[in-house]
Amino acid sequence: MERKTFIQSSVATLTASYLPSIPRLHDGEGETLFVSPPALKLGDVIGITSPAGYIINQEIQSAVKKMESWGYKIKIGETIDKRDFTFGGTDEERAKDFQQMLDDPKIKAIMCARGGYGAVRIIDKLNWEKFKVKPKWIIGFSDVTVFHSHLNRNFGIASIHSKMCNSFPDDWTTAEPVQIETIESIQLALSGIKMKYNAVPNSQNKPGVADGILIGGNLKMLETLSATKSDINTAGKILFVEDTGEYMYNIDRMFWHLKRTGKLSQLKGLIVGGFKIKVDEDADDFGRTLQDVVLEKIKAFRYPVCFDFPVGHQKNNYALKCGVKHRLNVAANEVNLKEV
Amino acid sequence: MIRIPPYLQKGDTIGLVCPAGFMPVERVSECIRVINEDWGFTTKVGSSVGRQYHYFSGTDEERLEDFQLMLDDDNVKAILCARGGYGISRIIDKTDFTRFKENPKWIIGFSDVTVLHSHIYRNYYVSTLHAPMANAFNEDGFKNEYVQSLRHALEGKKIKYQVKKHEFNKKGEGIGELIGGNLALLAHLVGTDSDLKTKGRILFIEDVGEYLYNVDRMLYQLKRSGKLDKLAGLIVGGFTDMKDTERPFGQNVHEIIRDAVAEYDYPVCFDFPVSHEKENYALKIGVGYKLKVGKNKVTLEE
């Protein structure tokens, strides 16, 4: 039996005390053991909660119906419909709802209803003991990067970076094919199918092939987690980043941050997703493109780099498994990423 | 002990540079005039002043070369960054501080210059000056007590500021080296070689034009990276032109900061005159200060 398969199939019966004795999947520093939560079966329950911004029940109905049509049951958390200004309830309410989902053995996956801001306000209030013993999928992106990064750093447990409830269209008949396909990709990821993605080649890509654990998320969030206990460990990994609504100077500053914190030097590969760049009001011209900004930071490194990968605050945002080994292949005429 | 660069004597030279954003030369001329005519120092105007490369005051190489020249010129006793903006992060790791280490001189500025303050404090343990820059001299600004405080600091006068009380102040007395600057830059530097050590120090923070949720997020970063729990005191400067999202955050910036440090018992004062506005006293980074937050007034003295 392959090592990884063994680990995955063993997850359900593991307890914390057994962990050191089983074969390890090493990351770059040879420390963390990576495990994937069990794939979902028909009838399994997905919990929906709001760890960050507030959302009303009506806005998640499209997602509820869609996920039910995939054969899953849905449990709607107490934070849906709750509101504390911008948040989906007070810190205590959001932490409590998330904790219940973490601890409820019937819930096999937790879908964050939306991003916004707020996960970092509750992350240190959560107790991960049960989750560590019986991992489940945590799903979302943007502010949810806090969870992906925290799981990556502390537990080596895989999670799903994908669209959330607020991206499910109300009217599927007018939805673009890419919207439907990216949402369906969440179901593929949950069902345990090995994922494969293609990206459109960009002339400034750096070719190469890399194998490594996939990690990443929202660039701004990664910066604000720096030197905290949720700080991402990038050594030996394939890193993906995306962002929205930032000025180019700030994107530049954030890539300097990655570089100056040593997060770019030991990568296996770099995936640059969508960046929605804010135009400077006073027509300050930064004089560099996104590609310039990225490539100048990694001139000294040889790993493959691709731009325009379909991940980000955009319709073209596929479900990616953080904490799972992938192969990135960047060539002149094709770019793909596949789970291995 | 922190090393204090020599204070300036009459006739000493202050170098002016633009290490970050572009600044038209006419916005610097009043600053030059005042330093030469009123303050009795001489100025050396760097090639990056008035130069423009897109957003920046020259390419990285040009800005670096100019700054390096001033650092290495023994006749230059202080370097005044004419403006901030963005750009020091792009040249900091290429800057050679070897001569500076042997012959420290005052480095002056705020905002983006926070990168220099933090980097020098962390790596070379030399005092720098968080103070108004060239633009503050314009429109008669050079007459106000804030620009004057820069002159006094350069002349070696001991600093003592007294400011009004604020309803959220937390009373107490703290003694420690003063560190700080622009919150967004301090957060950006966390985990890098320019990162601040804050334990036992008095920290000051200020910012401009940020979203409230982002201020909250940055404070969480400082907190979660262990930078707020062992301070000798916290000085909250101006947080001006704050922005809010369509869905309001529900707290003003003072409430956000108050709550972020509610669990600690060191003194905290709000609305201290260090900011992107006119109210911006010169503060010597790394120098020992006493912060006294009383019932009716707040004092900060060397």
Side-chain angles (χ1 to χ4, degrees):
Chain A
M1 185 187 284
E2 198 187 317
R3 227 161 41 158
K4 187 176 166 201
T5 326
F6 168 71
I7 291 165
Q8 283 181 338
S9 57
S10 308
V11 153
T13 54
L14 285 180
T15 67
S17 60
Y18 294 148
L19 286 175
S21 64
I22 64 167
R24 283 168 172 253
L25 251 191
H26 294 288
D27 73 352
E29 292 177 351
E31 289 299 327
T32 319
L33 164 78
F34 278 89
V35 294
S36 288
L40 264 61
K41 300 184 299 289
L42 293 184
D44 276 348
V45 179
I46 299 175
I48 299 178
T49 183
S50 275
Y54 88 90
I55 194 165
I56 58 171
N57 192 296
Q58 192 191 334
E59 288 174 277
I60 67 164
Q61 280 311 311
S62 175
V64 170
K65 289 197 187 89
K66 182 49 106 179
M67 292 192 286
E68 282 172 347
S69 80
W70 292 339
Y72 306 130
K73 294 197 178 82
I74 304 298
K75 179 170 178 184
I76 297 175
E78 289 167 2
T79 46
I80 306 304
D81 270 338
K82 273 227 168 85
R83 180 173 183 181
D84 178 48
F85 292 96
T86 183
F87 302 109
T90 63
D91 291 349
E92 289 68 29
E93 288 168 335
R94 297 191 328 278
K96 187 179 161 218
D97 196 29
F98 204 91
Q99 189 69 56
Q100 276 172 357
M101 301 255 168
L102 283 176
D103 293 346
D104 182 344
K106 287 200 213 77
I107 292 178
K108 305 296 183 192
I110 302 171
M111 163 72 94
C112 299
R114 60 164 295 214
Y117 166 66
V120 77
R121 293 178 60 99
I122 65 166
I123 188 96
D124 293 328
K125 299 180 196 286
L126 297 173
N127 180 326
W128 299 90
E129 291 310 313
K130 286 192 177 157
F131 172 82
K132 276 196 290 186
V133 178
K134 289 197 107 179
K136 54 186 75 181
W137 292 103
I138 292 177
I139 310 165
F141 80 113
S142 197
D143 197 58
V144 180
T145 300
V146 176
F147 292 113
H148 298 313
S149 194
H150 193 78
L151 263 50
N152 167 267
R153 175 60 180 257
N154 296 286
F155 316 128
I157 292 172
S159 51
I160 296 175
H161 183 279
S162 77
K163 290 187 171 177
M164 299 173 283
C165 297
N166 62 338
S167 294
F168 286 62
D170 289 330
D171 183 356
W172 292 88
T173 59
T174 58
E176 290 175 37
V178 68
Q179 270 179 291
I180 298 169
E181 200 183 321
T182 49
I183 288 167
E184 296 289 347
S185 75
I186 301 170
Q187 199 266 327
L188 294 180
L190 284 171
S191 68
I193 285 174
K194 284 201 191 280
M195 308 296 281
K196 185 178 175 182
Y197 319 84
N198 295 310
V200 178
N202 180 301
S203 61
Q204 290 187 274
N205 286 351
K206 282 173 78 172
V209 178
D211 283 355
I213 298 278
L214 183 70
I215 49 156
N218 179 264
L219 180 59
K220 185 74 200 175
M221 295 312 303
L222 295 178
E223 178 178 292
T224 68
L225 295 173
S226 196
T228 71
K229 54 182 155 178
S230 312
D231 194 5
I232 202 160
N233 174 6
T234 64
K237 308 212 175 85
I238 299 171
L239 175 69
F240 69 94
V241 288
E242 64 82 28
D243 216 326
T244 185
E246 296 287 351
Y247 291 112
M248 191 56 109
Y249 85 87
N250 204 12
I251 292 168
D252 186 56
R253 195 161 71 180
M254 292 191 285
F255 274 103
W256 279 115
H257 175 86
L258 287 184
K259 185 176 172 71
R260 298 193 77 223
T261 52
K263 293 192 173 72
L264 297 178
S265 59
Q266 294 178 67
L267 291 181
K268 284 283 168 81
L270 177 62
I271 294 173
V272 182
F275 275 76
K276 273 193 198 153
I277 296 158
K278 217 161 153 181
V279 179
D280 293 283
E281 293 118 359
D282 44 2
D284 280 337
D285 161 26
F286 194 70
R288 285 171 177 80
T289 64
L290 175 67
Q291 286 76 19
D292 296 336
V293 159
V294 174
L295 292 173
E296 69 174 357
K297 314 291 186 295
I298 54 167
K299 259 191 304 222
F301 312 123
R302 285 178 166 182
Y303 50 73
V305 180
C306 73
F307 294 95
D308 300 332
F309 195 85
V311 60
H313 284 72
Q314 56 198 28
K315 285 181 180 148
N316 207 356
N317 182 24
Y318 284 92
L320 296 174
K321 289 182 191 167
C322 298
V324 170
K325 202 167 181 190
H326 285 73
R327 174 168 298 160
L328 172 66
N329 172 31
V330 182
N333 52 358
E334 61 162 353
V335 175
N336 54 59
L337 177 74
K338 53 184 173 190
E339 198 182 329
V340 289
Chain B
M1 274 282 278
I2 184 108
R3 285 197 296 160
I4 313 287
Y7 291 108
L8 268 58
Q9 310 290 326
K10 285 266 178 276
D12 276 351
T13 302
I14 298 178
L16 278 105
V17 295
C18 283
F22 160 69
M23 188 167 201
V25 76
E26 59 271 20
R27 299 292 294 164
V28 191
S29 53
E30 182 70 345
C31 168
I32 295 170
R33 188 193 66 76
V34 169
I35 291 175
N36 288 327
E37 293 176 15
D38 296 2
W39 293 10
F41 305 126
T42 47
T43 47
K44 177 176 174 173
V45 180
S47 56
S48 57
V49 177
R51 183 174 264 174
Q52 185 171 12
Y53 175 75
H54 299 283
Y55 168 89
F56 301 98
S57 54
T59 63
D60 291 349
E61 291 70 26
E62 288 166 341
R63 295 188 333 273
L64 174 65
E65 193 196 343
D66 195 29
F67 186 62
Q68 190 70 56
L69 221 66
M70 295 287 186
L71 275 179
D72 294 345
D73 183 342
D74 290 343
N75 287 324
V76 172
K77 305 296 182 194
I79 302 173
L80 174 59
C81 299
R83 75 160 283 211
Y86 166 67
I88 296 175
S89 296
R90 296 186 57 89
I91 61 170
I92 187 79
D93 290 328
K94 294 180 189 150
T95 308
D96 181 357
F97 288 94
T98 316
R99 285 282 283 263
F100 171 82
K101 249 187 338 191
E102 287 154 17
N103 273 317
K105 54 187 73 183
W106 289 103
I107 291 181
I108 311 159
F110 71 107
S111 197
D112 198 49
V113 183
T114 300
V115 177
L116 284 172
H117 294 313
S118 286
H119 188 77
I120 291 171
Y121 178 77
R122 171 69 181 258
N123 296 286
Y124 308 111
Y125 206 34
V126 171
S127 180
T128 54
L129 261 172
H130 188 280
M133 299 182 284
N135 197 40
F137 288 72
N138 293 328
E139 286 91 39
D140 274 351
F142 68 90
K143 292 174 183 164
N144 71 41
E145 58 184 305
Y146 308 104
V147 178
Q148 287 297 320
S149 75
L150 168 60
R151 176 186 182 173
H152 296 150
L154 285 171
E155 289 171 342
K157 291 195 179 128
K158 286 247 184 254
I159 284 175
K160 180 172 180 179
Y161 301 123
Q162 185 174 318
V163 302
K164 282 184 300 196
K165 64 177 178 181
H166 185 281
E167 55 171 326
F168 290 162
N169 282 359
K170 278 166 81 173
K171 280 180 290 209
E173 203 176 293
I175 295 175
E177 291 179 352
L178 184 68
I179 53 165
N182 181 264
L183 178 60
L185 271 309
L186 294 176
H188 158 70
L189 294 173
V190 171
T192 71
D193 289 341
S194 315
D195 194 6
L196 277 182
K197 286 185 177 154
T198 62
K199 189 179 168 187
R201 277 92 166 174
I202 299 170
L203 175 70
F204 69 92
I205 52 175
E206 64 84 31
D207 216 326
V208 65
E210 288 290 350
Y211 281 98
L212 292 171
Y213 81 88
N214 200 25
V215 171
D216 191 67
R217 192 163 65 180
M218 292 190 287
L219 289 168
Y220 264 89
Q221 181 182 12
L222 292 189
K223 208 169 163 167
R224 296 188 75 226
S225 57
K227 299 209 183 292
L228 295 183
D229 53 344
K230 289 177 179 126
L231 296 179
L234 177 67
I235 296 173
V236 182
F239 278 76
T240 47
D241 294 334
M242 291 291 113
K243 294 184 280 197
D244 205 351
T245 35
E246 215 170 281
R247 302 162 170 217
F249 188 79
Q251 284 188 308
N252 66 37
V253 73
H254 290 144
E255 291 165 336
I256 290 171
I257 299 169
R258 177 197 61 188
D259 286 2
V261 296
E263 64 195 273
Y264 312 122
D265 52 12
Y266 48 73
V268 182
C269 74
F270 287 82
D271 263 349
F272 192 89
V274 56
S275 73
H276 270 69
E277 301 302 310
K278 183 182 78 181
E279 293 76 18
N280 192 20
Y281 279 133
L283 297 169
K284 291 179 199 165
I285 305 271
V287 168
Y289 280 79
K290 177 154 78 174
L291 171 68
K292 229 169 139 176
V293 183
K295 199 171 146 202
N296 294 311
K297 63 174 185 185
V298 174
T299 56
L300 179 71
E301 63 182 313
E302 263 187 84

